[in-house]
Amino acid sequence: MSDFTLHDLQCFDAVVRSGGFQPAAAMLHRSHPAVFAAVAKLERQLDLALLDRSGYRVRPTEAGLSFHRRAQSLLRELDGLRIHAAQLSMGEESEIHVVIGDLCPRPQALGMLGRFFAQCPGTRLYLHFEAVGGPWERLFDGEADLILHWIDKSDPRVEWVDLCKVPFIPVVAPGFLPERIKRPITPDQMQAFTQCIMRDTARHSPQQDYFMIEGAPQCMVADQGMKKEIILQGLGWGHMPRFLIEDELHDGRLQSIVGRLLPGRTEELVVARRRDRPHGPIANRLWDHIQQEAPKLRRALEPPKPGK
């Protein structure tokens, strides 16, 4: 077996991830013949058929899948080494990318970030706003240094700091439901009414459906502010984070329809970053800053005490 090159591995990885030689060439900014030749050379050197070319689209063989899993670990390590070297060479990062998710309270989060970056004039903050699965997709695609959103805490690739709990409550505007519908309200009863739901901004991950009632008419929105306004105007109903509707629940402009069969849910808002990637000095200082600010954020989002 001859030694294979990093270039050969990168071409094979791109073909598997993109599903073909042409998209792999575009991904790597190389020519189609160059990518094709690199993968063929890799197969000769390994004496393995890594790709099945018998169909309309190439796909990895069983041996190819196994080899690709191991190759990805090596490529991730290399990518991390490049990032680390770049951070060492520049001392402090010139830019930080932060993703704020749809369940994050924006005024508090932006205030927290503003206080930090006011002390870091040499580092530019790039803010991205994503919904549902979009934040963690950006994190795992290497497009975010950290995210403020929910995560799968069982994923070994991430570390996190708990910020606060965010209750989601199903609500309607007064008069939205006919009087014939009695409590406890069931999902079957709500199937006849337009449900306002968040649009998942993930680009290539499986779309996530939260609180969705199958068969109900849907109104898709891009952010919680638009969703709240649609519900207030009686154009639909939906689940809202409680911190966004506290005043409306108090003065009656919105009504909760929480019940045994429509219980809502509480999500955990965290700040999360990749455990398997190096982080520069500014990113680490920001991480520490958010940990210190977390208690203040929790207090700001506590529901008001009765009578206040």
Side-chain angles (χ1 to χ4, degrees):
M1 181 188 297
S2 305
D3 290 337
F4 50 81
T5 67
L6 177 61
H7 173 259
D8 300 334
L9 282 182
Q10 289 172 324
C11 289
F12 172 61
D13 172 63
V15 171
V16 173
R17 289 194 292 120
S18 66
F21 289 101
Q22 192 62 50
M27 181 187 298
L28 297 173
H29 305 290
R30 293 184 170 90
S31 68
H32 180 286
V35 173
F36 188 90
V39 176
K41 177 182 158 207
L42 180 63
E43 289 179 310
R44 287 196 305 273
Q45 290 169 326
L46 298 175
D47 194 24
L48 279 174
L50 298 175
L51 295 175
D52 180 356
R53 298 170 173 81
S54 62
Y56 176 72
R57 293 170 63 92
V58 295
R59 56 189 178 85
T61 62
E62 188 173 340
L65 283 172
S66 178
F67 183 79
H68 183 247
R69 282 192 291 269
R70 297 291 294 272
Q72 280 187 307
S73 299
L74 177 61
L75 292 171
R76 279 195 296 267
E77 286 292 327
L78 176 68
D79 190 36
L81 185 60
R82 283 186 178 135
I83 293 171
H84 188 55
Q87 290 171 346
L88 289 174
S89 68
M90 65 185 176
E92 292 187 345
E93 305 95 310
S94 60
E95 59 187 50
I96 294 286
H97 290 256
V98 175
V99 174
I100 293 181
D102 61 277
L103 62 81
C104 185
R106 291 184 182 179
Q108 291 83 356
L110 293 174
M112 182 170 61
L113 293 171
R115 288 187 288 276
F116 176 80
F117 282 97
Q119 305 168 37
C120 304
T123 300
R124 176 175 294 181
L125 169 64
Y126 285 89
L127 274 175
H128 310 272
F129 297 93
E130 301 282 347
V132 194
W136 55 260
E137 184 180 88
R138 276 196 181 258
L139 184 66
F140 292 129
D141 283 352
E143 297 175 356
D145 294 291
L146 57 82
I147 64 172
L148 288 89
H149 198 48
W150 56 265
I151 59 162
D152 176 3
K153 291 185 175 181
S154 67
D155 193 318
R157 296 172 294 175
V158 296
E159 59 181 336
W160 72 90
V161 174
D162 289 316
L163 296 179
C164 60
K165 295 185 184 298
V166 180
F168 274 74
I169 302 171
V171 292
V172 297
F176 178 77
L177 296 177
E179 292 184 4
R180 59 181 169 79
I181 294 186
K182 305 299 182 185
R183 306 282 180 126
I185 297 172
T186 69
D188 287 345
Q189 289 174 309
M190 298 305 295
Q191 190 179 43
F193 302 99
T194 298
Q195 184 179 12
C196 192
I197 56 177
M198 293 291 300
R199 182 181 296 112
D200 191 345
T201 61
R203 296 158 295 179
H204 56 76
S205 305
Q207 296 288 294
Q208 307 289 320
D209 298 331
Y210 292 96
F211 308 118
M212 195 178 295
I213 293 181
E214 189 174 351
Q218 294 176 1
C219 173
M220 302 283 288
V221 295
D223 62 73
Q224 297 286 4
M226 176 63 78
K227 184 176 179 180
K228 174 180 172 179
E229 193 59 38
I230 285 173
I231 297 172
L232 280 168
Q233 298 301 327
L235 297 172
W237 72 279
H239 289 72
M240 291 294 302
R242 187 176 184 103
F243 67 80
L244 268 181
I245 56 170
E246 205 67 68
D247 290 343
E248 289 78 9
L249 288 173
H250 180 72
D251 63 25
R253 283 178 290 159
L254 286 177
Q255 297 174 346
S256 167
I257 55 171
V258 165
R260 181 171 56 87
L261 300 175
L262 211 62
R265 187 164 69 190
T266 297
E267 298 284 0
E268 293 182 298
L269 176 66
V270 305
V271 55
R273 67 180 183 178
R274 294 277 292 273
R275 188 193 301 273
D276 57 354
R277 295 175 71 91
H279 303 284
I282 297 295
N284 282 324
R285 282 166 52 192
L286 175 58
W287 184 257
D288 293 340
H289 171 77
I290 293 176
Q291 289 190 72
Q292 293 168 6
E293 293 263 330
K296 187 187 301 183
L297 180 65
R298 279 192 286 272
R299 288 194 297 272
L301 295 179
E302 286 178 354
K305 299 289 190 296
K308 292 189 177 181

